[in-house]
Amino acid sequence: MVAVRSSAFVGDVKLVIDGILSVMEERLEEGDVIQLGRLGNFRSGRRQQRGGERSRLQHAFFNKARIVFSPGTMLTQVKKNVTFETSRPGPGR
């Protein structure tokens, strides 16, 4: 759809997206925040494991890496504009 809406070829769009993903992977592994404008931000983080003794070393509580996404203005606006309809089951349902 991006290629259709622009003058770019499908292969060019794919090349750019692959490049963005490659850079994102590299930068997230370095601990950087990836800012994608109105789309939002990605950052790496650690998930705290619940339970266990408090006396363990602090790093032992953080054993799962995760990617944190914060939506930008465009996605926040899309969320505000979404509406849901409830449908009633018809007879015999």
Side-chain angles (χ1 to χ4, degrees):
M1 291 178 73
V2 172
V4 169
R5 293 178 184 194
S6 68
S7 61
F9 293 107
V10 173
D12 295 333
V13 173
K14 183 175 177 353
L15 182 69
V16 170
I17 291 173
D18 287 345
I20 290 170
L21 294 175
S22 177
V23 170
M24 284 181 68
E25 179 180 13
E26 178 184 310
R27 301 316 312 159
L28 286 169
E29 287 175 353
E30 293 294 324
D32 294 340
V33 175
I34 307 299
Q35 299 175 336
L36 295 177
R38 296 183 319 131
L39 180 63
N41 299 331
F42 294 86
R43 66 179 173 83
S44 58
R46 295 184 217 163
R47 178 170 291 158
Q48 184 172 356
Q49 182 180 9
R50 306 251 181 231
E53 296 177 19
R54 285 281 208 190
S55 61
R56 291 183 189 171
L57 295 174
Q58 185 175 352
H59 72 278
F61 288 101
F62 297 97
N63 64 349
K64 292 185 179 180
R66 64 183 181 146
I67 302 299
V68 179
F69 174 71
S70 303
T73 56
M74 184 261 306
L75 291 180
T76 302
Q77 190 61 44
V78 167
K79 237 172 56 172
K80 288 179 184 177
N81 294 337
V82 170
T83 59
F84 297 95
E85 295 180 19
T86 39
S87 60
R88 294 181 151 184
R93 287 189 176 179

